[in-house]
Every structure is written in C-alpha cells, then in structure tokens.
Amino acid sequence: MLLPMIGERLDGRCAVVTGGGRGFGESIAIELDALGAAVAVLDIDEAAAQRSAAGLARGLAVACDVGDEASVRSAFAAVRHELGTVDILVNNAGIVSMTPFLQLGEEEWDRIFRVDYTSMYLTCREVAAAMVEQRYGRIVNLSSLAGKRGGGFLGKAAYVAAKAGVIGFTKALARELAPAGVTVNVVSPGAMDTEMTRMLRDDPDLLARVVATIPLGERGTIQDVTDAVVFLCTGAASYLTGETIDVDGGVLME
Ligand SMILES: NC(=O)c1ccc[n+]([C@@H]2O[C@H](COP(=O)([O-])OP(=O)(O)OC[C@H]3O[C@@H](n4cnc5c(N)ncnc54)[C@H](O)[C@@H]3O)[C@@H](O)[C@H]2O)c1
C-alpha cells in the first residue's frame, strides 16, 4: 500500500468501483476501503461483487451491467440510498476483444463499445452534477496501452477504439468539471496478470515477446495499477486533471 507516503485518508468519502468483483477493481476497492472510504462494488457478476464487498469494512455489493442504462441508473440509486453522494468514481469494468477486424461483427463491436466506452458516459452522468454542486469529486477511468498504440499483443480494433475514446472523453470532462474542482484522469496499464489476460499465462512464447518490449524488463502487477488509481483519488493528485498515467514499465515513454 502506498498511502502512508501520500498521507491522506478518505474517511467519510463514498467511492464506486465498477468491475470491483475481481482483478484491478477488487484491489482498488480494498485500498480505498483501507483509506476509510465507503466503497460500492459494482459488477455484472453479482457473486463476485458480494465476495469482494464482504472483505471490506464499509463495502456494498451492487449488481450492475455498466453498459446498460437502466442497470446503471438503478445501481447508482442504490448506492446513493445506502451510502449517500458519490465522491469518487473508478470506471474500471471492461471486456477485451481479440477479434481481428475482418471477422469483427457489429454485435461484438456494439457490446465492446457499450461496456468499455458508453459506460463512462452512463456512470459519469450519475455523479457529475452532485460532484460539481459539492465542489469535490475524483473520477478515474481505465484505458489501456492497447488504446494508445493500436493494440499489438492484446486487444484489437473494437477494444482499441473504445479505450482510445476513453482518453478523449476524459479530457473533455476534465475541462468541463475543472472549474468546480472535480478532477477526471486516466490510468492506462500495460498487460498485467489478471483473468482478462489469462491467454498470456498459457502462452510462454507470447509472454516472453510482451516482456521483451518493456523497458523495465518485467510485467507490472495489479498493485502497480491500484497505486496509480488510488493516488489519483487522493489530495496528493488534486492538481492533476485530464492526465493519463501510463502504468506500463516504460513502453510508451517518449
Ligand atoms: N489486465 C490488464 O492487463 C489490463 C491492461 C490494460 C487495461 N485493462 C483494463 O483494466 C480494467 C480491469 O481489467 P482486469 O484485468 O481487472 O479485468 P478482469 O476481467 O479481471 O475483471 C473485470 C471485472 O469487470 C466485470 N465486468 C465485466 N463486464 C462488466 C459489465 N458489463 N458491467 C459491470 N462489470 C463488468 C467483470 O465481471 C470483472 O469482475 C478493464 O477496463 C481493462 O480493459 C486491463
């Protein structure tokens, strides 16, 4: 945990972590909870959300498909009812598409865009007005190395387009909400070891080729991503907005 360094607690804050049932989201929920925030874990996998929230001091599990408007509306209504105004929103839920463009059907394109991209609009719409009114808010959106360099090892056109869009959306929202002191930023990870990237576990040759592209010479961890996200949720990052932190071991350095 990095936060003793940063020295800010989040007592009294209410956080929502989408896709909080496993992977990065679960880890982010644990750290925000450890800092004192009440954390709502939203996940399409209700059992995973419940398991994750059960480990938190002030956890709330809410079943939610972030790509579905009605589901998002009712999930955030439940969060407001149980925990009050949302101060911190981490848009982490996502699905990957490995389908090459020539085989990519419209149904898959639409699903990836609903979950990885339109979800940002749906969830931010639920929290932005109240954040502006209270003149405090932190929004962190998960993009991907793939979204910045056109894919490569993991993620093809639909995923790449959606994740690239997240960065533009984040900058636009950051600009609009900045006068109210609400920050909106992106964390963009390389290929860490989660269920989403399990194909790398089964393919040592591919994994070796991925690692060969990383200046720091090894894969990052779930904790590396968590630390960047949680940093952006604290006062230590209050002068950062519209930014993207690339947690990728130096792959994208210029
Ligand atoms: N793992 C990586 O290396 C990597 C790299 C770059 C970006 N990312 C991004 O980080 C985020 C988290 O990735 P992860 O590796 O932890 O993934 P993961 O697959 O391990 O976990 C994703 C979680 O999101 C949930 N989810 C999926 N669809 C949902 C929906 N429609 N509504 C609500 N919840 C939903 C899943 O049930 C799961 O609990 C994603 O946005 C992903 O694109 C991951």
Side-chain angles (χ1 to χ4, degrees), residues 19 22 24 43-44 64-66 92 143 159 163 189-192 194:
R22 72 177 193 207
F24 298 159
D43 207 293
I44 197 167
C64 177
D65 176 353
V66 294
N92 162 81
S143 180
Y159 182 73
K163 289 297 188 180
M192 314 314 191
T194 67

Side-chain angles (χ1 to χ4, degrees), residues 44-179:
I44 197 167
D45 180 343
E46 190 171 4
Q50 278 166 355
R51 187 187 43 73
S52 169
L56 306 177
R58 290 156 298 276
L60 174 72
V62 186
C64 177
D65 176 353
V66 294
D68 180 85
E69 183 174 6
S71 179
V72 169
R73 272 191 199 284
S74 80
F76 277 81
V79 173
R80 283 190 293 268
H81 183 257
E82 295 293 326
L83 303 178
T85 302
V86 176
D87 303 297
I88 296 166
L89 169 63
V90 180
N91 277 313
N92 162 81
I95 49 176
V96 73
S97 165
M98 295 295 291
T99 308
F101 181 70
L102 294 180
Q103 280 94 56
L104 183 62
E106 204 172 331
E107 198 179 316
E108 182 174 351
W109 173 271
D110 286 343
R111 182 65 190 152
I112 293 288
F113 258 72
R114 295 286 320 168
V115 175
D116 289 347
Y117 183 65
T118 305
S119 62
M120 305 270 158
Y121 162 69
L122 296 176
T123 60
C124 289
R125 197 174 57 167
E126 292 294 321
V127 302
M131 286 179 174
V132 166
E133 192 171 333
Q134 70 179 7
R135 301 192 69 77
Y136 174 88
R138 299 273 180 267
I139 298 174
V140 182
N141 300 325
L142 270 288
S143 180
S144 168
L145 172 61
K148 294 187 82 174
R149 64 166 194 190
F153 297 110
L154 293 165
K156 297 235 185 285
Y159 182 73
V160 166
K163 289 297 188 180
V166 167
I167 295 174
F169 170 71
T170 298
K171 289 181 182 174
L173 196 61
R175 227 175 249 289
E176 285 195 41
L177 304 189

Side-chain angles (χ1 to χ4, degrees), residues 173-252:
L173 196 61
R175 227 175 249 289
E176 285 195 41
L177 304 189
V182 175
T183 69
V184 194
N185 290 290
V186 168
V187 169
S188 181
M192 314 314 191
D193 186 15
T194 67
E195 280 308 303
M196 182 177 278
T197 58
R198 63 188 173 277
M199 61 286 254
L200 287 177
R201 287 181 209 155
D202 307 330
D203 190 340
D205 290 342
L206 178 59
L207 179 57
R209 281 191 282 134
V210 170
V211 172
T213 66
I214 303 173
L216 284 177
E218 60 184 7
R219 270 182 111 176
T221 64
I222 291 176
Q223 191 65 45
D224 291 324
V225 175
T226 303
D227 288 348
V229 171
V230 174
F231 163 66
L232 289 169
C233 294
T234 69
S238 58
Y239 201 57
L240 284 181
T241 198
E243 266 303 329
T244 296
I245 300 184
D246 297 310
V247 184
D248 64 4
V251 173
L252 284 180

